[in-house]
Amino acid sequence: NEYKSYLRDMLGTLEESVEPAPLPPQTEDETLSCLYSAPNWYQSHMLDSNIRFSSPDDVLIAYGARSMVQILSGNLDPVKLLVGHAKRVSSVCWIARAQLVSGCDGGTVHLWDVTNATILKTLLKNPIPITVLRFQPNPDHLFSGDEKGYICLWNYLEMNKALCFQPYPEKILTMECSNHADGKLYLAVGYRQGTLTVLSVNGKQLIVLHNLKGHNSDVFRVSWCPSSLSQKSFISLIEDKNPCDVLFSISKDKTVKCWDGVSSNCLRSFPSPRSLSRENHLNKEQPWSSLLWTDSAGLIATSATGDLATLEEEYNGDGLSEIKWVNHDTITYHNKKVFSMCWLGNKSFVTASMNRDIILWNDRQAVKVAHGLTGFAYGLDISPLSPNKIAVAVGDNMMRIWKPRQNKVIQVWQSVRTKVMSVAWHPYKEGLVAFGTEEGKVGIYDVNSGSSHASATYHEKAVYSICWGFMPTKYPEDDLKTGLFSCGGEGEIYCHKPKDLQKEVVKVNSYITAENKYKNQPPGRTAIAWEFESKLFAVGCNTGLIEVFKAPNLTRIYALQYHKRIINRLRWGRNKLEKMILSADEAVEKIVLSADEEVEKIVLSADEAVEKIVLSADEEVEKIVLSADEEVEKIVLSADEAVEKGAGDETPKPQLLLASCSDDNSVCVYDISPDHDSSAHILKPHRRLLGHTGRITDIDWNPHDFRRLVSTSYDGTAQVWDVPSGQGVSNYRGHAGRLYSVRWSRTHINHIFTGSEEFTVRQWRVEDNEHTVPPETNLLFPLGNPNPKGKKKKGSKKRVIVSEESSCADRSLSWRNDETPSPKEPVTLVVSDSRKKKPSKGKSMLPLASRADHSNKEEQSRHILKIARELRSSAVTTDNDEPGDLTAVHTGLYSTQQKAFELVAAERENHRAERHHHQTVLLGVWCNDITATVLRAVETRTVTESLLAVAIYSGMELYVKAVKCYIDQLKTNRDFITAASYLLVLGEVYDAIDLLVSGELYREAVTIAKLRLNPDDEKLRHIYGVWGNKQEQDLQFDTAAKCYLASGDPERAILVLLKRSDVKLLQEVQTLAEITEQLDLVPEIKRAVADAKEMAAEEPTTVSNVDDDPLADGVSGISANQEATAVRLSEDDGNIRNTEEVTENGHSNTILHNGD
C-alpha cells in the first residue's frame, strides 16, 4: 500500500509538471492579504466612516493615505482607492452613503463618487492647506477649515460656498457639529494655540457665542454628546443640563475638559489617560492625543503614547460617584501616538496611529489589525524555508517581515534608518534575511533573535540588487562557502562574508576582470542572480549585456546581448521534467528490488513450511510479481508519455532558463541548458515577451509551473506570461501607481504578491483578472513620459488629455491631477515635475565629431572602415572624401595624431563662425596656441574672461593689450563694475572712478576712492558733490544731505533738509545746525518749522460714514463687540475680497456682504 501511494503521488506530480493543470478552485483558507498605505500623520480628522448613512454591516471607512483616499470595508478589507489630489490628503468626511469629500495640503477639496471612484466636482481651489472637513446632515451643511483660520460653509444641495468666516487667524486643528434635535446647530472649533470657540450657525451666518478658556496648548479633538444616549452617562457632570450642550475636548497640555457649550462653563477637568507603553522614550516627537464620544462605546481617549482608555462613572457603597479612566489592554497593539478615531456603530470603532497600523476594536478588544506602509515597496522576497514569511523592502526607512496568513508584521528599523531598496532570504539558514539600502549599506537581520548587523563596506550609491551565492575562489578543490553579493548603483559588485561583515569585502568586478583577462573596462553592473544547483552566476549591465559565470573562479561561459538598455532584474528558472522522469526511474528500481526481496523471503519460508504453505506462498508470489509488473508498466508508460509531451516540438524543452527585464519594456528568456551550444555569445533569446508600455522593474517565475512568468512595469500593471507561446495569460490592474516588485506565492499556484509606489503590497489571483495582456497605452501616462529627459524644467507642468475609454473601472486616472473635470469629459492630467534638475554639461567642445558619431548607419560603417585603414597605415587616406564630409575630421578621435590636429582646427573654425568664443579659446589652449589665440581675439574684439585667465602666459605686453580690449568690450555692454575692476588691475585708479561716476554708480566709486586714494584727495570731494546733486534732483533729500556733509559743506546739507515738510524732522534740522555750528541758519529753520505747522493745521480731515455706504446693507451675523473678520471668497478667482470701512472713532472693520 505504501508503494502504491508513493507511485500515485509521483505520477500525479509528473503529470502536473508535464501539462499545466487547470487552476485549483478557491478554498475558504485562500484569503487574500494586503499591506495598505498607512494613514497620514498629525491630522485629527484623517479617518471617517459613513455609519450615519448606512448600517453597521455595510459601513465603509475612508482615510487619507499620501495623496490618495483609501476606502475599506467595516472588516478592514480594501474596497476602492481614490486618486486625484496633487498633495497630501489632510481630511476626509462622508456626506452620503457613497459620497465623500476630501481636502489636501494644496487647498483643494474634491467631492467623490465612491462607487465609480471618480471626482464629481472640485469644490475649492485655494493655496491655503485644508485641515478639517465636517458635515452635518441636518440641515445639510458642510464646513471646511484651513491653516489660516478660515471656516467655509457650503450648501450641500448646490455645493456652492455660502460664506467664509475667520474668527481667529490661527491654524484650525479640529471641528465638530452638535447634535441638537430642536434644529439648533453649534460648531466647536479647536485651534493650535489652545483657543476653543463655539459658533452658532443660523442660516448663512456664523456667530461666535463663546471662547472656552482653559487649554493653554493645541486642542487636538473635540466631541459633542451623542444625539441619543442608550444609558445616562456622567450624571454627576451633566446634572440638570441638556446633554446635547455637553462638549469634551483634549489638548496638548495633557488635559481632558468637559464644557457646557452654551453657557461656556467648564464642568470638569481630567488628566489625559496615563501611558502604559514601554516605548515612551521613542516618542520624542510632537505629542498627540485623540478623543471619541459614541452612544454605545462611551467616551474614549488616548494617551500621548497611543494607550486607549474609557471614561467611566463608578458608585461606591455610600452612593457617591467617581469618574475615572479605565485603560484598555493596548500594549501589544498601538505603542505610539494615535492620531484619529472613528465610530462604526454598536461598540465598534477604528483607530489609526503612528506605528502605521489601523486597528478595528469591538467592546475594547482588538478584532483586526491592518498594517500600513509609508514608503514605496521597492522589493519582495519569500523565504524558501518558511513560505509564509515575506520580506518587504520599504522606502520609509524600515524593512517588514510579513506573515500573510496570520496577518502579522515585524517592523525592522535597527541598523536600517534609511530607505530599504532590496531584500534576499538565506537559501538554507532559517530566519536570515539580507537587505540593501539607499545609502549603500548592506546588512543581515536575524528574524529569530531580532538582531541585525551591517557591513563595514558601503556602496557609493543605492543597493538595487542583493542575493546569496558562492564566494569566488581560485582553488576548485576548496569547499564552496556561501557569501552575500550586493550590486550598487555605481556599478560595483561586492561579496560580503556573512559570519563577519566587518571584514574586507571581495570586489567581484575586479576579480572577474582579472580572472577573465578583460582588455577594456567592463560596463557598470546593475543586476545579479545565482543558480545554486548549476553554480552559475548571472550579471546584468547598464548597456543591456548579460554575462553568465561559472563558480568557483567565476569564469565567463556566456555573454547574452539582446537588450539595448539597463538590466533591472535577473531570475533563474529550471524545468522540473527531467527530475520527475529520473525520480520515476528510481521508484521503478526500488519497487523491483523490493519485490525481489519479498519473493526471496516467501520462498525461504516456503521451504521450511508444509506443502500447503508452499502453495499459498506461490500464490502470494505470483500476486506480488504481477502487481509489481503492472506498476512498472504504468510508470514506464507514464514516463514515456511525459517525455513525448515534453518533446512535442521538434526541439527539446530547455532545462535551465534565465529571464531578464530591462528599461526597453521587454522581457527576454535565454536557454542556458547544459546541452546548449556553449558559444561565447548568444544574440537571440529563447523567447522575447513584449507588451508593457513602461520600463519593467521586476520578474519572477512560477515555482509550481516553470512555463509561467510574471512581470511588473511602470505602466501600472503586472503581467503573467506563458513562456513557451510568448502570449499573455493575465494582466493585473489593481494598483494606482508604478509597480516596483513581484513575487509568486510558494504555497498557492495562482497567487501573486506585487508592491507599488502607492505604499501598498497586494496579493491577487491570476484567474480574477478580466484582461490578458497589458494595455496599449500607459495607464499612468497615456501619452508617454510626462517629463521627457531634458525637455522640462523643474516645477514645470504638462497637460495631457486622456480619453474616457482608457480609464480603469476601479480607480480614477487623474492620480496626479490638480484640476478634475466632470467624469463625462476627457480627463486632464496636470503633471508637475519636481525632480531635482541635473547639472548641465554645457555646450559640446566637438560638435562636428559628435554629429558624425550620430549619423546614419551607412555613414557609420564608412567611418569604421576609414579608421581601420588609417590605423593600419601611417599615411593618411583621403579616398572617398567629399567636400563638407565629416569623415575627414571625425576620424581624428580614433586614428592618428595628425588627424586629431585637423579635427581641432576644424572645430575651432566652426566655433568661431558660431561666435562660441569660450569654446574657441579652450581649444586654442588645448593646442598650446595661446599667443595666436589672444592676438586673434584682440583683433576681432572677442576677448573673454577665460582667455584673460591664460593670456598672461603670452607675455605682459600682450596681456595688457588684451585687458584693455576687454575693458572696451565691457564699456560697450555697460558693465561698468567689471570694467572698473580690470582698470584697477592695470593700476588706473582715477580712470576706474571716473568710469563708475559716468555710470552713476556713486557708492562703488566712493568705496574705491576710500580704499585707494588719500583721504584729502579732491577726487573724493568731487564724487560726493556730483552724487549729492543727483540725489537732490531725484528728491532724495536725506541721501543728498549725507553727501554734502561728507564733502565738507554742512550749510548746503541743512538747506536741502529744509525742503522737507515734516514738522518733527524739521525740528531735528535745528539740532544739526547746532552740531555743525551753522547758527546763522537757525532763524530760517524756525520759520520753516512754523510754516509747516500752519500748513498741517489747515488740512481738512475726511471721515466716511459706514451708514452711508450702500454696500453695508448686506452685513449680518456679526456683533459689534466681537473682534473678528468676516470675508467672502470670490467664486470666480478664489481671492479674498474685503470691504473695509473706517468708523467715526478711526477703527477699521472688515464686513461680509452676502450679495457681493
Side-chain angles (χ1 to χ4, degrees):
N1 291 333
E2 291 180 358
Y3 288 146
K4 292 180 180 180
S5 176
Y6 176 79
L7 286 171
R8 289 193 188 99
D9 294 341
M10 183 59 63
L11 287 172
T13 306
L14 182 63
E15 292 173 0
E16 279 187 4
S17 66
V18 175
E19 184 174 0
L23 295 174
Q26 178 184 353
T27 59
E28 294 182 358
D29 60 342
E30 290 186 13
T31 56
L32 299 181
S33 301
C34 178
L35 291 181
Y36 305 93
S37 178
N40 295 330
W41 293 353
Y42 298 104
Q43 297 293 337
S44 296
H45 299 276
M46 183 56 59
L47 203 64
D48 195 24
S49 70
N50 64 349
I51 187 61
R52 291 183 293 180
F53 313 101
S54 63
S55 65
D57 297 333
D58 300 329
V59 68
L60 293 178
I61 305 169
Y63 68 88
R66 198 187 170 202
S67 60
M68 303 166 290
V69 178
Q70 177 71 58
I71 308 297
L72 304 179
S73 67
N75 198 31
L76 300 188
D77 295 325
V79 177
K80 293 286 183 181
L81 187 65
L82 311 181
V83 184
H85 284 289
K87 293 189 178 181
R88 186 186 72 126
V89 175
S90 54
S91 182
V92 295
C93 180
W94 291 88
I95 63 174
R97 187 177 182 277
Q99 290 184 358
L100 64 83
V101 290
S102 61
C104 72
D105 289 345
T108 304
V109 177
H110 287 327
L111 172 62
W112 295 90
D113 177 9
V114 177
T115 304
N116 299 318
T118 56
I119 298 175
L120 297 178
K121 187 175 182 180
T122 299
L123 306 182
L124 180 65
K125 298 176 184 177
N126 195 21
I128 305 175
I130 301 296
T131 56
V132 184
L133 291 170
R134 293 284 87 189
F135 179 71
Q136 179 61 27
N138 187 13
D140 292 338
H141 282 338
L142 175 65
F143 299 91
S144 65
D146 58 33
E147 285 192 351
K148 299 296 184 181
Y150 290 104
I151 302 174
C152 292
L153 172 61
W154 302 81
N155 187 334
Y156 167 67
L157 297 178
E158 300 177 359
M159 277 305 165
N160 294 325
K161 184 164 62 275
L163 61 87
C164 192
F165 185 54
Q166 187 189 30
Y168 295 96
E170 298 176 0
K171 180 179 180 180
I172 298 176
L173 297 180
T174 180
M175 289 194 307
E176 203 66 57
C177 301
S178 63
N179 300 287
H180 284 71
D182 55 359
K184 294 181 181 179
L185 180 58
Y186 298 109
L187 182 68
V189 185
Y191 293 87
R192 166 168 286 177
Q193 300 301 326
T195 304
L196 180 57
T197 304
V198 178
L199 293 89
S200 174
V201 183
N202 185 10
K204 294 184 178 181
Q205 299 179 8
L206 291 176
I207 302 175
V208 177
L209 288 182
H210 304 290
N211 293 326
L212 307 182
K213 299 181 180 179
H215 291 299
N216 54 23
S217 190
D218 301 357
V219 179
F220 292 136
R221 187 72 183 260
V222 295
S223 182
W224 292 91
C225 176
S227 57
S228 61
L229 291 174
S230 59
Q231 57 183 357
K232 290 189 176 181
S233 302
F234 319 124
I235 297 178
S236 60
L237 287 178
I238 299 177
E239 296 178 350
D240 57 347
K241 298 176 177 60
N242 183 358
C244 293
D245 296 339
V246 179
L247 173 71
F248 272 88
S249 62
I250 190 167
S251 171
K252 186 178 179 180
D253 58 13
K254 297 183 179 181
T255 61
V256 177
K257 295 185 181 296
C258 179
W259 308 86
D260 184 350
V262 177
S263 64
S264 75
N265 295 328
C266 182
L267 303 179
R268 188 76 175 271
S269 180
F270 306 91
S272 296
R274 62 189 183 93
S275 297
L276 301 178
S277 175
R278 302 176 182 177
E279 299 190 13
N280 295 345
H281 63 283
L282 299 178
N283 292 272
K284 300 179 181 179
E285 306 90 353
Q286 176 186 352
W288 202 274
S289 298
S290 189
L291 184 74
L292 181 65
W293 195 359
T294 65
D295 181 10
S296 54
L299 182 67
I300 305 170
T302 64
S303 68
T305 53
D307 301 291
L308 272 66
T310 302
L311 191 64
E312 295 186 355
E313 187 174 14
E314 298 180 355
Y315 292 88
N316 54 22
D318 299 333
L320 300 177
S321 65
E322 181 184 4
I323 300 177
K324 62 180 181 179
W325 294 106
V326 178
N327 283 81
H328 301 192
D329 184 14
T330 60
I331 296 179
T332 57
Y333 299 102
H334 288 312
N335 52 20
K336 293 186 178 181
K337 64 196 74 172
V338 174
F339 293 115
S340 184
M341 299 190 293
C342 72
W343 184 47
L344 303 183
N346 297 328
K347 293 186 179 182
S348 299
F349 62 95
V350 175
T351 57
S353 74
M354 193 177 185
N355 61 357
R356 301 169 176 84
D357 292 341
I358 299 176
I359 299 182
L360 172 63
W361 303 84
N362 187 9
D363 197 14
R364 304 183 186 179
Q365 299 295 325
V367 178
K368 187 175 181 180
V369 181
H371 303 281
L373 308 177
T374 55
F376 296 173
Y378 288 110
L380 297 172
D381 196 26
I382 301 177
S383 173
L385 304 179
S386 299
N388 189 40
K389 292 181 181 178
I390 302 177
V392 186
V394 191
D396 57 2
N397 302 347
M398 288 194 294
M399 178 177 62
R400 307 297 201 283
I401 306 300
W402 180 30
K403 298 179 180 180
R405 288 184 181 177
Q406 293 81 12
N407 191 29
K408 292 184 179 180
V409 171
I410 301 175
Q411 297 179 351
V412 182
W413 54 269
Q414 298 89 344
S415 300
V416 179
R417 302 181 184 277
T418 183
K419 293 181 180 180
V420 182
M421 309 300 294
S422 54
V423 288
W425 288 94
H426 198 286
Y428 54 85
K429 286 189 177 181
E430 175 69 28
L432 287 185
V433 57
F435 61 88
T437 70
E438 185 186 36
E439 293 181 350
K441 181 193 300 183
V442 176
I444 299 175
Y445 177 74
D446 189 346
V447 178
N448 299 323
S449 64
S451 61
S452 59
H453 307 279
S455 175
T457 304
Y458 279 57
H459 286 273
E460 296 180 4
K461 294 185 179 180
V463 179
Y464 292 109
S465 184
I466 191 169
C467 68
W468 299 85
F470 297 111
M471 298 188 66
T473 175
K474 297 182 179 179
Y475 306 100
E477 63 274 8
D478 292 349
D479 294 334
L480 293 178
K481 298 180 180 179
T482 303
L484 178 60
F485 289 75
S486 60
C487 181
E490 77 281 3
E492 291 290 334
I493 301 177
Y494 294 158
C495 179
H496 310 262
K497 299 178 181 178
K499 293 184 179 180
D500 192 353
L501 294 176
Q502 301 301 316
K503 289 186 178 180
E504 185 178 359
V505 299
V506 178
K507 295 184 178 180
V508 180
N509 282 7
S510 302
Y511 188 93
I512 291 175
T513 301
E515 183 66 25
N516 295 276
K517 298 180 181 179
Y518 288 167
K519 295 182 180 180
N520 300 320
Q521 181 70 20
R525 270 68 185 220
T526 58
I528 53 178
W530 270 94
E531 211 289 320
F532 273 81
E533 186 171 343
S534 301
K535 300 177 182 178
L536 297 180
F537 182 41
V539 178
C541 304
N542 54 14
T543 60
L545 173 67
I546 301 173
E547 298 174 293
V548 180
F549 302 91
K550 181 72 174 179
N553 53 356
L554 298 186
T555 304
R556 192 174 82 168
I557 59 175
Y558 292 113
L560 318 175
Q561 183 69 60
Y562 192 79
H563 290 291
K564 305 300 181 184
R565 303 182 66 181
I566 183 174
I567 301 297
N568 292 324
R569 193 73 68 194
L570 297 170
R571 298 286 187 194
W572 290 97
R574 178 173 289 278
N575 188 348
K576 298 180 181 180
L577 175 63
E578 182 181 3
K579 282 187 176 181
M580 294 299 176
I581 295 175
L582 292 176
S583 299
D585 292 340
E586 294 175 359
V588 170
E589 184 177 358
K590 287 182 180 179
I591 291 173
V592 172
L593 293 176
S594 299
D596 293 339
E597 293 176 358
E598 293 291 339
V599 170
E600 185 177 358
K601 289 181 181 179
I602 294 173
V603 170
L604 290 176
S605 61
D607 293 339
E608 300 174 356
V610 294
E611 182 178 0
K612 190 173 183 179
I613 298 176
V614 172
L615 295 175
S616 177
D618 291 340
E619 295 176 358
E620 194 68 27
V621 167
E622 186 177 0
K623 289 181 180 178
I624 293 175
V625 172
L626 291 176
S627 177
D629 291 340
E630 291 176 359
E631 296 292 347
V632 168
E633 185 177 1
K634 288 182 180 178
I635 291 176
V636 172
L637 291 176
S638 179
D640 293 339
E641 292 176 0
V643 172
E644 184 178 356
K645 291 181 179 178
D649 301 331
E650 295 181 359
T651 58
K653 294 284 185 179
Q655 303 303 318
L656 184 61
L657 300 175
L658 175 63
S660 63
C661 64
S662 169
D663 277 4
D664 58 9
N665 305 350
S666 67
V667 175
C668 290
V669 179
Y670 297 91
D671 181 8
I672 315 293
S673 304
D675 55 350
H676 191 276
D677 183 15
S678 58
S679 58
H681 291 269
I682 299 177
L683 300 180
K684 185 179 180 181
H686 175 68
R687 289 289 184 272
R688 190 177 185 216
L689 310 177
L690 301 175
H692 281 297
T693 56
R695 69 173 62 176
I696 301 177
T697 55
D698 200 1
I699 50 177
D700 195 26
W701 290 94
N702 185 347
H704 315 282
D705 183 357
F706 76 99
R707 293 170 302 175
R708 295 288 173 88
L709 181 75
V710 61
S711 60
T712 55
S713 171
Y714 267 23
D715 61 13
T717 68
Q719 177 64 37
V720 178
W721 305 91
D722 180 69
V723 175
S725 64
Q727 302 298 318
V729 176
S730 177
N731 185 257
Y732 177 67
R733 305 182 183 183
H735 288 281
R738 296 174 295 186
L739 273 64
Y740 285 102
S741 53
V742 64
R743 271 306 199 186
W744 208 300
S745 173
R746 270 48 178 168
T747 57
H748 294 88
I749 191 173
N750 57 341
H751 285 201
I752 297 175
F753 297 90
T754 49
S756 76
E757 69 171 353
E758 65 190 15
F759 300 177
T760 60
V761 177
R762 299 182 183 273
Q763 181 184 7
W764 48 276
R765 300 184 187 89
V766 176
E767 71 274 14
D768 290 347
N769 303 313
E770 59 177 333
H771 303 282
T772 59
V773 294
E776 295 182 358
T777 58
N778 194 315
L779 292 181
L780 306 181
F781 305 110
L783 300 186
N785 189 350
N787 180 32
K789 186 176 181 181
K791 298 296 183 181
K792 302 294 288 184
K793 296 182 179 179
K794 181 179 179 179
S796 60
K797 294 184 178 181
K798 177 181 179 180
R799 298 177 183 267
V800 294
I801 305 299
V802 185
S803 62
E804 190 175 3
E805 288 78 4
S806 62
S807 63
C808 292
D810 58 344
R811 68 174 186 269
S812 170
L813 269 182
S814 55
W815 70 290
R816 294 176 183 267
N817 195 7
D818 285 6
E819 305 174 3
T820 307
S822 62
K824 294 183 180 180
E825 300 175 357
V827 180
T828 303
L829 298 184
V830 182
V831 184
S832 177
D833 179 22
S834 59
R835 294 179 297 179
K836 183 179 288 186
K837 185 178 180 180
K838 295 182 179 180
S840 175
K841 297 181 180 179
K843 293 183 179 179
S844 174
M845 292 294 297
L846 306 171
L848 298 180
S850 177
R851 199 182 311 160
D853 278 332
H854 292 84
S855 56
N856 56 47
K857 295 182 179 180
E858 291 76 10
E859 293 182 358
Q860 292 281 20
S861 300
R862 189 158 54 88
H863 297 170
I864 294 172
L865 295 177
K866 183 164 186 177
I867 292 170
R869 294 190 188 99
E870 292 177 355
L871 291 175
R872 296 288 295 178
S873 176
S874 59
V876 179
T877 60
T878 59
D879 54 323
N880 298 330
D881 287 346
E882 299 178 359
D885 187 5
L886 297 178
T887 308
V889 296
H890 166 63
T891 55
L893 284 174
Y894 312 99
S895 59
T896 62
Q897 185 181 34
Q898 178 184 350
K899 296 294 293 182
F901 275 102
E902 294 179 7
L903 168 64
V904 174
E907 296 285 5
R908 289 177 67 184
E909 289 298 327
N910 178 65
H911 283 303
R912 192 175 290 113
E914 297 291 338
R915 302 186 65 82
H916 299 159
H917 307 304
H918 179 68
Q919 285 78 4
T920 304
V921 171
L922 293 181
L923 287 177
V925 174
W926 292 6
C927 294
N928 197 20
D929 192 12
I930 300 177
T931 302
T933 303
V934 173
L935 285 174
R936 186 174 182 87
V938 171
E939 292 175 359
T940 57
R941 296 179 60 84
T942 56
V943 180
T944 62
E945 289 188 356
S946 56
L947 179 62
L948 291 180
V950 297
I952 189 66
Y953 297 102
S954 62
M956 182 57 67
E957 182 178 356
L958 186 56
Y959 173 73
V960 172
K961 185 182 296 186
V963 171
K964 290 182 177 180
C965 180
Y966 189 55
I967 291 172
D968 293 338
Q969 295 175 211
L970 293 174
K971 290 179 182 179
T972 304
N973 297 329
R974 297 190 63 81
D975 188 357
F976 299 116
I977 293 179
T978 307
S981 301
Y982 278 103
L983 285 173
L984 293 177
V985 172
L986 299 180
E988 298 177 2
V989 180
Y990 288 101
D991 292 343
I993 294 174
D994 292 338
L995 179 61
L996 293 174
V997 171
S998 64
E1000 297 183 356
L1001 300 171
Y1002 302 109
R1003 290 182 179 82
E1004 290 78 3
V1006 168
T1007 303
I1008 293 177
K1010 287 277 191 181
L1011 297 176
R1012 291 297 190 99
L1013 300 181
N1014 192 296
D1016 299 332
D1017 198 306
E1018 289 295 329
K1019 192 69 173 179
L1020 186 58
R1021 295 185 60 187
H1022 172 72
I1023 300 172
Y1024 280 128
V1026 175
W1027 189 10
N1029 288 331
K1030 177 62 176 174
Q1031 295 298 314
E1032 188 175 358
Q1033 293 174 8
D1034 295 341
L1035 304 182
Q1036 302 294 328
F1037 300 130
D1038 295 325
T1039 307
K1042 295 176 187 177
C1043 293
Y1044 292 142
L1045 284 175
S1047 64
D1049 192 357
E1051 179 180 356
R1052 190 168 182 182
I1054 294 172
L1055 294 176
V1056 169
L1057 293 176
L1058 288 178
K1059 296 181 180 181
R1060 299 186 301 188
S1061 58
D1062 189 277
V1063 176
K1064 185 178 179 180
L1065 297 178
L1066 288 174
Q1067 291 174 348
E1068 294 177 354
V1069 176
Q1070 183 175 348
T1071 306
L1072 176 61
E1074 294 173 356
I1075 295 174
T1076 58
E1077 298 180 354
Q1078 302 293 324
L1079 300 180
D1080 52 339
L1081 297 177
V1082 172
E1084 186 174 350
I1085 297 173
K1086 290 181 179 180
R1087 284 195 301 272
V1089 172
D1091 294 341
K1093 289 181 179 181
E1094 183 178 354
M1095 293 178 61
E1098 293 177 356
E1099 291 183 356
T1101 302
T1102 303
V1103 179
S1104 61
N1105 192 347
V1106 70
D1107 295 334
D1108 297 334
D1109 189 353
L1111 295 178
D1113 295 338
V1115 179
S1116 61
I1118 302 177
S1119 58
N1121 60 349
Q1122 296 171 4
E1123 298 178 358
T1125 302
V1127 297
R1128 173 175 174 83
L1129 293 181
S1130 171
E1131 296 287 350
D1132 298 330
D1133 53 9
N1135 297 324
I1136 297 174
R1137 294 182 177 177
N1138 295 332
T1139 304
E1140 188 172 282
E1141 299 294 341
V1142 181
T1143 60
E1144 294 182 359
N1145 56 5
H1147 295 287
S1148 175
N1149 292 331
T1150 304
I1151 303 169
L1152 169 68
H1153 301 284
N1154 289 332
D1156 187 7

